[in-house]
Amino acid sequence: MKMGTNRRLANVKTRKETGLDYVISCLNLQTPFGKKEVSELKPFFPGQEEELRTELNRIEKLIEFYTENQKLVEEVLEAFMEAKDITFSVDRASKNTLSEVEIYDIKSMLLLMAKINKAIAEKVPSEYVLEDTTDLLDLLDPRKDRISTFYVYDEFSPKLGAYRSQKRQAEIAIRKVQKEKREEIKKNYGIMLTPKFDISVARSNSDLEKIQAIPELEEVDQDYMSLTFQLKPTEEVFKHMKEIEEINERIEEEEERILRELSIKISEHKDVLYSNMDKMGKLDFALAKAIFSKQHNLVKPEICEEHVVEIEDGRNIQVEDILRSKNKEYCPVSIDLEEGVTCITGANMGGKTISLKLAGQVPILAQYAFFVGAKSAKLGLSNYIHILVGDSQSVERGLSTFGSEMEELKDILDRAVPRSIILIDEIASGTNPVEGLALTRSLIDYLIKNPYISLITTHFETVTQTDGVVNMQVAGLSNANFELLNREIQYAKRRERINIISKYMDYRLVRVDKHGEVPKEALNIVKMLGLNSEIIEGAKKYIK
């Protein structure tokens, strides 16, 4: 795999299986800019250790900000929730006249930016502090009332104020004439018009003919029950109406000129607006990571130059959330990996696959500048991370389980480069044991010669006897109180037995030498589940 500008740390499946996508989906992002940050998210690669440490330090400071300033954080999040992407309008401003709605949106964003800056001032890393936009806000808000509204105020132009004053005088003159006519009609005919200078008359009304005969009124509407009459405009009213039309044209021209000038001013500030929206996105994303870290008790990983993965009391965040929802506790697991091959052995139900995914989750989260689920973690950056677990999609395409594994294994090995992390779950389990063992041994022989951190879960314990292979076994039931366990199993319903055994299972990993005794967890488990004792005793004969 060539390492250039389009380097890919992990594919879609690995992001999902390690839990990276789960963590990202849990982030409470509020702004379109923060969501854009996620869509453009890139990992840190070897050689960028210092940049990653700097980014992790920023997250650490935001955790402090969140912890010590809950009320201010709530204000920032509320402002984020109101944020609207104004990029399109800002782009248009240089060549087009923005509408009042567009300028309203921009003014509202400026008010939000000011609110955010006030809340975070001197409390967050400087990279997240927005540039001051008071001068542009003053241009859009000449009254300085700082209310989230926009109108082409008279203060934008003395000429505009004069036009609107003339229009008001003409409207007052019209109403004066209309009021006088309304009084005349009342006096002469005993008919009272509404404040809108009209009247609705039922067809059955005895005064209908009289009203129809009033020369100052005209019919404007009717239905099957009534007719509506309105005051006719007089010559004087027509004169004022024409005057208003002419004034309206001048007002529209002046408002258009003002909107164009404001659009140009907005365009002149586009770099600041773009920068602030970008910073808002980065703050939204980083703050979401900080809050998630605090809520899940995550820690800042130590980034080192050597290629290692050292996890003390690690927790798979996704699995832990599932267990927490069921009021169950997660059993932390410690894993130390360096370049070479490490195998995890143990029976099913022992959590081998979860530990394998944990070994991928911690480094991949760290390389995307997330805190990790552990008491502590020390990590060297990788060029490539890939996990191979069961692939239902390949099976659906018509490949066997074994065929899909081999297809993916080929892709892994073709893409692997120095400083890769290769995680493989139960390879060759879909073929016969003799060939499966041979393939697993040969794969280990290949991996051990390459500069990769390779972790493999397997049922083939004998492969761990290869020189240089580190063997980690699941502690399992080795330290369990079997007297209590058997007592619970004895009186439990069938469906409860698996959960009871899981409660006693110790999922921690224990390093053993290559001559260590092969664990017999599977036989212990099936015995407790009530499998025929003759079969169990018979199986023991074949365990060497």
Side-chain angles (χ1 to χ4, degrees):
M1 180 179 72
K2 294 181 180 180
M3 292 184 288
T5 55
N6 294 320
R7 293 163 67 180
R8 184 176 70 173
L9 178 65
N11 64 9
V12 172
K13 180 181 177 183
T14 297
R15 286 169 57 107
K16 177 183 176 182
E17 295 293 346
T18 57
L20 172 63
D21 285 350
Y22 170 78
V23 171
I24 291 174
S25 71
C26 290
L27 298 180
N28 189 20
L29 296 167
Q30 305 291 345
T31 70
F33 321 117
K35 292 169 185 175
K36 181 183 177 184
E37 284 291 311
V38 171
S39 68
E40 299 175 351
L41 184 61
K42 290 181 174 59
F44 292 82
F45 283 100
Q48 297 179 303
E49 287 82 4
E50 194 55 41
E51 292 97 319
L52 176 54
R53 293 186 192 107
T54 300
E55 180 63 22
L56 291 170
N57 287 339
R58 293 191 191 110
I59 304 300
E60 187 174 45
K61 290 179 181 178
L62 287 178
I63 292 175
E64 294 175 5
F65 174 56
Y66 171 67
T67 303
E68 299 171 3
N69 302 276
Q70 293 280 335
K71 187 174 180 180
L72 287 179
V73 171
E74 288 178 7
E75 290 180 10
V76 172
L77 295 180
E78 287 175 2
F80 280 163
M81 290 172 64
E82 297 176 33
K84 182 177 180 179
D85 190 353
I86 57 172
T87 304
F88 178 71
S89 295
V90 175
D91 287 342
R92 277 180 14 93
S94 61
K95 297 181 180 179
N96 301 274
T97 299
L98 300 182
S99 68
E100 289 189 34
V101 173
E102 288 178 296
I103 296 179
Y104 160 76
D105 287 338
I106 293 170
K107 178 186 172 184
S108 296
M109 274 295 295
L110 293 172
L111 291 171
L112 289 179
M113 290 174 183
K115 182 178 180 180
I116 291 168
N117 253 4
K118 183 178 179 181
I120 66 176
E122 300 180 1
K123 294 181 176 65
V124 303
S126 59
E127 290 80 5
Y128 302 123
V129 177
L130 310 182
E131 295 184 52
D132 183 62
T133 53
T134 303
D135 55 345
L136 179 58
L137 183 55
D138 286 343
L139 287 171
L140 304 186
D141 185 24
R143 295 180 179 177
K144 295 183 173 58
D145 53 20
R146 297 308 190 246
I147 298 174
S148 185
T149 58
F150 179 77
Y151 173 67
V152 183
Y153 303 110
D154 293 351
E155 285 81 358
F156 282 121
S157 163
K159 187 184 293 186
L160 180 63
Y163 291 154
R164 286 174 174 168
S165 177
Q166 293 171 16
K167 179 180 177 180
R168 284 192 294 273
Q169 293 302 317
E171 290 171 340
I172 290 170
I174 289 174
R175 288 192 64 81
K176 182 180 179 182
V177 172
Q178 290 173 325
K179 287 179 180 180
E180 290 174 352
K181 283 294 179 184
R182 182 173 63 186
E183 291 302 315
E184 287 180 12
I185 291 172
K186 180 181 178 182
K187 179 180 179 181
N188 296 334
Y189 305 102
I191 301 298
M192 185 63 187
L193 303 181
T194 71
K196 292 183 179 180
F197 308 104
D198 62 9
I199 184 171
S200 181
V201 185
R203 291 181 181 274
S204 59
N205 193 314
S206 59
D207 289 334
L208 178 59
E209 289 187 8
K210 182 176 75 170
I211 294 172
Q212 287 177 319
I214 297 174
E216 290 88 353
L217 297 180
E218 61 182 352
E219 183 184 321
V220 293
D221 193 19
Q222 64 172 291
D223 56 31
Y224 72 97
M225 292 187 67
S226 64
L227 290 83
T228 301
F229 299 89
Q230 190 177 59
L231 192 65
K232 287 181 182 180
T234 65
E235 287 296 324
E236 188 176 358
V237 168
F238 274 125
K239 176 183 175 183
H240 289 307
M241 289 175 63
K242 184 177 180 181
E243 180 184 358
I244 288 173
E245 285 181 11
E246 294 173 351
I247 294 172
N248 278 337
E249 288 181 5
R250 293 196 290 271
I251 289 174
E252 288 177 8
E253 289 176 1
E254 186 64 9
E255 286 179 343
E256 181 71 13
R257 184 192 67 77
I258 292 168
L259 291 175
R260 182 69 200 122
E261 283 187 0
L262 293 178
S263 299
I264 292 171
K265 292 295 182 181
I266 289 169
S267 178
E268 291 172 355
H269 287 76
K270 65 180 181 180
D271 290 341
V272 173
L273 293 172
Y274 293 149
S275 174
N276 278 358
M277 286 187 282
D278 183 62
K279 288 181 178 181
M280 285 176 67
K282 285 180 168 55
L283 177 59
D284 185 21
F285 183 35
L287 190 55
K289 288 199 287 187
I291 293 171
F292 182 84
S293 299
K294 182 69 176 179
Q295 292 172 340
H296 286 75
N297 194 29
L298 308 185
V299 300
K300 181 175 71 173
E302 176 188 348
I303 305 302
C304 61
E305 270 66 29
E306 60 268 29
H307 195 213
V308 297
V309 175
E310 298 177 5
I311 305 169
E312 180 183 4
D313 289 346
R315 308 179 328 270
N316 185 306
I317 299 170
Q318 185 173 5
V319 176
E320 184 179 40
D321 280 353
I322 294 171
L323 292 176
R324 187 183 292 117
S325 69
K326 298 178 180 179
N327 295 317
K328 296 181 179 180
E329 291 187 8
Y330 187 98
C331 176
V333 174
S334 296
I335 304 173
D336 287 350
L337 303 173
E338 56 186 19
E339 291 188 348
V341 177
T342 299
C343 290
I344 301 178
T345 57
N348 286 338
M349 289 183 62
K352 298 192 304 295
T353 301
I354 293 175
S355 293
L356 183 82
K357 291 182 177 183
L358 173 66
Q361 182 180 104
V362 171
I364 200 171
L365 282 176
Q367 287 196 225
Y368 280 95
F370 284 85
F371 279 31
V372 300
K375 182 178 180 180
S376 67
K378 181 179 179 181
L379 306 158
L381 302 187
S382 300
N383 286 310
Y384 177 64
I385 299 175
H386 196 114
I387 185 168
L388 194 165
V389 293
D391 190 351
S392 60
Q393 289 184 343
S394 291
V395 175
E396 289 167 3
R397 295 204 322 266
L399 294 174
S400 66
T401 302
F402 177 71
S404 67
E405 283 182 345
M406 293 304 106
E407 180 188 61
E408 189 169 353
L409 179 61
K410 177 185 181 302
D411 184 62
I412 292 173
L413 299 181
D414 286 347
R415 292 178 177 274
V417 293
R419 292 183 74 107
S420 288
I421 295 179
I422 309 296
L423 307 166
I424 300 175
D425 188 37
E426 301 288 355
I427 191 67
S429 60
T431 188
N432 71 74
V434 175
E435 289 182 305
L437 175 59
L439 279 168
T440 304
R441 280 182 165 173
S442 181
L443 175 62
I444 288 174
D445 290 341
Y446 173 83
L447 291 174
I448 207 167
K449 293 184 296 185
N450 284 281
Y452 314 146
I453 292 177
S454 301
L455 181 62
I456 300 174
T457 66
T458 180
H459 283 300
F460 302 128
E461 282 84 2
T462 56
V463 302
T464 63
Q465 296 177 9
T466 303
D467 287 340
V469 174
V470 176
N471 184 15
M472 303 289 290
Q473 286 181 1
V474 179
L477 298 172
S478 58
N479 300 314
N481 186 327
F482 281 94
E483 182 178 346
L484 289 175
L485 177 53
N486 284 320
R487 192 182 306 162
E488 284 196 55
I489 288 286
Q490 182 179 358
Y491 298 105
K493 295 179 181 179
R494 182 176 179 182
R495 292 184 177 180
E496 296 175 349
R497 292 177 180 177
I498 299 297
N499 288 333
I500 292 171
I501 293 172
S502 297
K503 184 175 69 174
Y504 282 86
M505 187 75 69
D506 186 345
Y507 297 102
R508 290 176 294 178
L509 300 177
V510 180
R511 183 165 179 166
V512 296
D513 61 43
K514 62 183 178 182
H515 301 295
E517 182 181 355
V518 176
K520 303 179 180 60
E521 298 290 12
L523 295 185
N524 287 333
I525 291 170
V526 297
K527 180 180 179 181
M528 285 183 283
L529 292 176
L531 188 66
N532 188 295
S533 59
E534 182 180 345
I535 297 175
I536 296 171
E537 292 303 317
K540 290 180 180 179
K541 299 176 184 177
Y542 297 103
I543 297 179
K544 299 180 181 180

